């Protein structure tokens, strides 16, 4: 996305009315505060090492050699989607300058979660009907057909391709075909289906994801993976500072950005959360007719952002993770004096939830895995206690939100 002066995005070209859409709002360029916004490369803050690491894996495409395929892990809002797209675009440009044609496609697997949908989305994202002479229908073909189209697209248009599969854990794994999309893509060249060099960048915020892959997929993805760490408070401030032109001049009280950064860094340094709080604060201040955004607006925005975040995280969870969360919320709601619960207690409560849901409970080990995942996502917190003499160590789980918030979201 190219940065444009205000007025231009409104579509109104008469200067008399150019700011009619934004006149009263403290936020004059809302697109800068949208989650999908890709800031230009100079505005990506604190991710130099990650950018270098991604670049070195896909760099071979520039020499028309096969790039690596790999997984990026990291907590939510740590720049995984942003950095991978930005680096892939830059590699494409650099390759073009070297006479190599590189296709780049970004697919959010939570929107295209079956193999057929994903293959269709990848093919359509890469295809250019004017160049290839064919267009790919969005729906209606078999999986095999979509693969044929994809291989044709790659071979007709590109020397190499970088395929970014975001939220890869949302992809439904089809073990009946040969390992699903990941395997097909990473093995397509060696199995003679295409001549194009393909690199897959798979992104996930679930640490357990790798476990769910079969050996052959893991080996085609290579051993190394990149882990993006959370931002610190200073980096969060800089990320927001780079977007203050979203606001009308002077509309941000000087305490707003430090305060927002502190709130966003409380669990882990999550840039999405920081930007969302900032935007909500701007909306709240605007709605109240304030002429500046103040600390108090930030406080209220934080509560709203909390609810948004929980809703989003929950929507990506499988049913049994939700049952576990409900179990923990039940335990928490039952007893005012306790908020930490042992795995075995959570497991018992979980079995009751399964009963009410008429669903067979998973085994204890699997529930442990899912609990670990919930705590990685910071929906819950898990602490191992040392135990004492003669008492083994055990893990205690705590809900990060109020049980009411969980009930409300899960019911929706
Ligand atoms: N280093 C950065 N500089 C500027 N903006 C950033 C930076 N990192 C993240 N952002 C912004 O924060 C938001 C979240 O980043 P991004 O979508 O890349 O996170 P993510 O790691 O993919 O999170 P999730 O796991 O939830 O998908 C985006 O709007 C992005 O533009
Ligand atoms: Mg992302």
């Amino acid at each position: 996305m190219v940065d444009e002066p205000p007025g231009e995005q409104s579509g109104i070209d008469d200067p008399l009315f150019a700011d009619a859409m934004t006149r009263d709002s403290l936020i004059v360029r809302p697109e800068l505060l949208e989650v999908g916004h890709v800031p230009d490369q100079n505005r990506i803050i604190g991710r130099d090492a990650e950018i270098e690491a991604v670049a070195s894996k896909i760099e071979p495409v520039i020499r028309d050699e096969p790039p690596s395929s790999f997984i990026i892990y990291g907590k939510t809002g740590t720049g995984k989607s942003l950095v991978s797209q930005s680096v892939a675009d830059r590699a494409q440009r650099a390759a073009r300058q070297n006479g190599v044609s590189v296709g780049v496609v970004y697919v959010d697997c939570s929107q295209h979660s079956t193999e057929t949908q994903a293959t269709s989305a990848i093919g359509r994202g890469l295809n250019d009907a004017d160049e290839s002479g064919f267009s790919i229908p969005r729906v209606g073909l078999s999986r095999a057909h979509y693969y044929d189209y994809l291989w044709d697209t790659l071979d007709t248009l590109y020397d190499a391709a970088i395929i970014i599969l975001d939220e890869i854990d949302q992809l439904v794994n089809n073990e009946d075909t040969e390992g699903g999309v990941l395997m097909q893509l990473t093995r397509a060249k060696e199995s003679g289906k295409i001549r194009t060099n393909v690199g897959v960048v798979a992104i996930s915020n679930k640490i357990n994801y790798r476990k769910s892959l079969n050996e052959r997929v893991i080996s085609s993805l290579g051993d190394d993976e990149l882990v993006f760490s959370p931002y610190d408070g200073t980096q969060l401030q800089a990320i927001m500072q780079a977007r203050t032109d979203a606001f009308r001049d002077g509309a941000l009280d000087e305490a707003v950005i430090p305060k927002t950064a502190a709130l966003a860094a409380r669990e882990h340094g999550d840039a999405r959360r920081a930007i969302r709080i900032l935007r909500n604060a701007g909306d709240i201040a605007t709605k109240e007719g304030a002429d500046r955004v103040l600390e108090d607006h930030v406080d209220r925005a934080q509560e709203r952002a909390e609810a948004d975040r929980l809703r989003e995280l929950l929507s990506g969870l499988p049913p049994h993770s939700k049952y576990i969360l409900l179990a923990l919320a039940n335990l928490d709601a039952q007893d005012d004096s306790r908020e930490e619960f042992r795995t075995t207690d959570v497991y018992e409560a979980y079995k009751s939830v399964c009963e009410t849901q008429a669903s067979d409970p998973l085994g204890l080990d699997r529930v442990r895995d899912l609990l670990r995942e919930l705590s990685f996502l910071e929906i819950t917190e898990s602490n191992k206690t040392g135990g004492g003499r003669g008492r083994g160590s055990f893990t205690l789980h705590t809900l990060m939100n109020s049980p009411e918030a969980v009930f409300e979201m899960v019911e929706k």
Side-chain angles (χ1 to χ4, degrees), residues 143-288:
R143 184 166 67 202
H145 257 101
Y146 278 118
Y147 273 119
D148 286 344
Y149 265 127
L150 176 55
W151 307 144
D152 280 352
T153 303
L154 287 167
D155 263 346
T156 313
L157 300 181
Y158 302 111
D159 302 315
I162 298 163
I163 299 175
I164 303 170
L165 299 180
D166 206 348
E167 316 286 343
I168 183 84
D169 47 89
Q170 300 291 313
L171 201 62
V172 181
N173 245 338
N174 261 320
E175 297 294 340
D176 58 315
T177 64
E178 296 112 70
V181 184
L182 272 180
M183 179 89 111
Q184 292 286 335
L185 292 174
T186 49
R187 299 274 167 104
K189 190 177 182 192
E190 69 177 61
S191 63
K193 294 192 176 93
I194 47 171
R195 291 178 308 274
T196 311
N197 291 315
V198 169
V200 178
V201 182
I203 305 176
S204 176
N205 55 23
K206 313 262 195 305
I207 28 163
N208 292 327
Y209 174 65
R210 202 183 178 80
K211 273 199 191 166
S212 71
L213 295 174
N214 74 33
E215 286 302 313
R216 291 177 60 212
V217 179
I218 291 179
S219 81
S220 38
L221 276 175
D223 273 338
D224 46 1
E225 53 199 30
L226 300 181
V227 178
F228 281 33
S229 53
Y231 294 108
D232 63 28
T234 316
Q235 290 170 331
L236 289 175
Q237 289 202 36
I239 289 170
M240 286 183 278
Q241 212 70 54
R243 300 189 191 203
T244 47
D245 31 352
F247 289 86
R248 196 192 289 164
D249 245 1
L252 286 180
D253 184 84
E254 61 181 24
V256 164
I257 285 183
K259 167 101 189 179
T260 308
L263 288 173
R266 217 159 51 174
E267 280 151 29
H268 75 263
D270 174 344
R272 170 177 300 108
R273 184 134 154 248
I275 293 169
R276 184 174 281 161
I277 296 174
L278 193 63
R279 191 195 54 209
N280 285 348
D283 286 343
I284 292 172
T286 299
K287 213 162 265 157
E288 293 179 354

Side-chain angles (χ1 to χ4, degrees), residues 22 157 188 194 227 240 283 300 308 323 366 393 396 399:
T22 49
L157 300 181
I194 47 171
V227 178
M240 286 183 278
D283 286 343
R300 277 178 285 151
D308 285 352
Y323 300 161
R366 186 73 191 111
S393 75
L396 289 171
L399 212 54

Side-chain angles (χ1 to χ4, degrees), residues 373-405:
E373 196 166 280
L374 287 172
S375 93
F376 179 76
L377 290 171
E378 285 167 339
I379 299 174
T380 64
E381 192 178 87
S382 299
N383 288 310
K384 230 184 169 76
T385 64
R389 190 204 260 277
R391 305 166 58 210
S393 75
F394 48 83
T395 308
L396 289 171
H397 309 277
T398 318
L399 212 54
M400 302 292 279
N401 297 82
S402 70
E404 292 73 28

